[in-house]
Amino acid sequence: MGLIPLGFWAASGAGGAPTSAAYELISTTVLGSAAASVTFSGLGTSAAAYKHLQLRYVVRDSGANIWGQVVVRLNGDSGANYAGHTLRGGGSSVTSSAGTSTTSLAIATGTGNSAPSGAFTGGIIDIVDAMSSSKNKVARILTGRATSGDNEILLQSGLWMNTATLTSISLAGNGTNLLTGSRFSLYGLKG
Amino acid sequence: MANAMVALANITLGSTAATVTFSSIPATYRDLRLVINGTVTTGGNIFIRFNGDSGSNYTYVQAYGTGSSAASSTSSGSETADASGVFYTNPGMATYDFLDYSATDKHKSSLNRCSVAGNLVIMNAARWASTSAITSIVVSHGSGSYTSGTTFSLYGVIS
């Protein structure tokens, strides 16, 4: 697929069309009504051709605050089999935290239902070597909320101490529901 | 399956430019990715403005490290465009992801990582408080201009 003409100023450049697809959409879910969670399942089949996975999303939850949270788990594992670090910018200071033997890959930031109408939180999760059966699973999460109050930007690492091939990824509100309009797209990267 | 990241436009400056504009952006994709690589004539903020909106409709929060310190800042209801990155006269790169850019039921969220050799590394989240689909992006600089050779690449992400 080649360049699609857009109007632009300043100078001309050149771009090339890819000769083979390395980054492909696996599945997208857009919530038409509130849901407790969204799960990408059957990855042993749908993602078997890929080496790495990327999840891109925007989310808003039913919590009563401006802030929200999204709990990320792999293969339905809610046991104390995860670890991670967080680097957080809250608008006035930078902090860092870490956890071991945690029960989720990450608790990413979200937008709660007291935020301005229409505000959602965006996030990108990269899971490297997701389909390996010999490596624990590692992830990087970039997510942030800018809602005119209680803003934050997070860079998180996540570790699932399990060498099993991924079969599912779930994202859930932390005691809340994910609201209509929240969107979750899973991509595979070949390697 | 089709490649999910499609090159939409690639601009390499042949001379110094204060602004770069992508217009007539189709609503065909789910997300947009903008990648900038280059230098500027004077260190300062990168500004991103959507659809020509110069109103107080942008909010951002960022965290950055300079090598000797780390800090965070936020701007809410700014009357200027989204300041979401910093370039210096040293080579720098910035990657912006504009999520659900074509949706008309939500504000526009973006995530950005920016780094400038010898100066700093930044991560940033921003929101444009508009439910309009993004049809144009203007990239400008707060203090100077982008130098010749600086590249601006826009991609559409299928969903």
Side-chain angles (χ1 to χ4, degrees):
Chain A
M1 194 171 296
L3 285 175
I4 297 174
L6 298 176
F8 60 84
W9 301 342
S12 62
T19 56
S20 63
Y23 179 75
E24 297 178 334
L25 174 68
I26 297 173
S27 178
T28 285
T29 295
V30 181
L31 293 182
S33 58
S37 64
V38 169
T39 299
F40 294 93
S41 58
L43 297 181
T45 300
S46 61
Y50 306 105
K51 190 169 180 63
H52 314 299
L53 298 178
Q54 182 177 80
L55 225 164
R56 305 167 70 92
Y57 66 89
V58 291
V59 67
R60 184 180 176 105
D61 68 50
S62 62
N65 306 298
I66 292 175
W67 56 267
Q69 291 183 324
V70 179
V71 181
V72 185
R73 292 193 169 104
L74 304 179
N75 288 22
D77 185 0
S78 58
N81 300 311
Y82 304 87
H85 284 74
T86 296
L87 180 67
R88 176 185 180 272
S92 59
S93 63
V94 177
T95 59
S96 182
S97 60
T100 57
S101 299
T102 57
T103 59
S104 64
L105 184 70
I107 298 181
T109 195
T111 293
N113 218 16
S114 288
S117 177
F120 284 69
T121 287
I124 299 175
I125 301 173
D126 290 297
I127 304 175
V128 179
D129 276 342
M131 310 316 289
S132 169
S133 59
S134 62
K135 299 178 182 178
N136 292 333
K137 305 305 175 287
V138 293
R140 179 186 66 191
I141 302 100
L142 179 66
T143 181
R145 176 182 64 254
T147 54
S148 301
D150 202 354
N151 303 325
E152 62 179 358
I153 176 74
L154 271 62
L155 179 63
Q156 299 172 283
S157 68
L159 168 67
W160 182 43
M161 291 172 280
N162 194 314
T163 59
T165 299
L166 280 195
T167 58
S168 71
I169 304 170
S170 68
L171 300 95
N174 195 4
T176 62
N177 287 323
L178 308 176
L179 295 180
T180 298
S182 297
R183 184 269 300 191
F184 308 86
S185 300
L186 182 65
Y187 299 85
L189 285 81
K190 295 182 179 178
Chain B
M1 270 188 270
N3 198 3
M5 188 168 291
V6 177
L8 300 182
N10 188 26
I11 300 170
T12 299
L13 296 182
S15 59
T16 299
T19 64
V20 170
T21 300
F22 296 91
S23 60
S24 302
I25 299 172
T28 313
Y29 304 95
R30 178 73 67 176
D31 303 331
L32 295 173
R33 169 165 280 193
L34 173 65
V35 181
I36 306 172
N37 182 25
T39 57
V40 293
T41 56
T42 304
N45 290 336
I46 299 170
F47 285 80
I48 302 285
R49 180 171 288 165
F50 303 117
N51 294 16
D53 184 3
S54 59
S56 305
N57 299 313
Y58 302 87
T59 304
Y60 72 84
V61 57
Q62 63 186 13
Y64 58 92
T66 64
S68 59
S69 64
S72 180
S73 63
T74 186
S75 175
S76 176
S78 171
E79 294 184 2
T80 61
D82 174 15
S84 53
V86 181
F87 263 21
Y88 286 87
T89 53
N90 289 333
M93 63 169 290
T95 303
Y96 295 83
D97 285 282
F98 306 119
L99 303 167
D100 265 25
Y101 80 99
S102 60
T104 56
D105 62 345
K106 55 178 68 80
H107 296 171
K108 304 306 175 287
S109 302
S110 68
L111 296 170
N112 164 42
R113 289 166 288 158
C114 177
S115 58
V116 182
N119 289 109
L120 47 67
V121 60
I122 294 176
M123 56 181 181
N124 174 293
R127 176 176 64 99
W128 178 43
S130 171
T131 57
S132 298
I134 293 174
T135 57
S136 72
I137 300 171
V138 175
V139 184
S140 61
H141 197 264
S143 303
S145 298
Y146 299 97
T147 59
S148 176
T150 299
T151 61
F152 301 80
S153 302
L154 186 66
Y155 303 87
V157 182
I158 294 172
S159 176

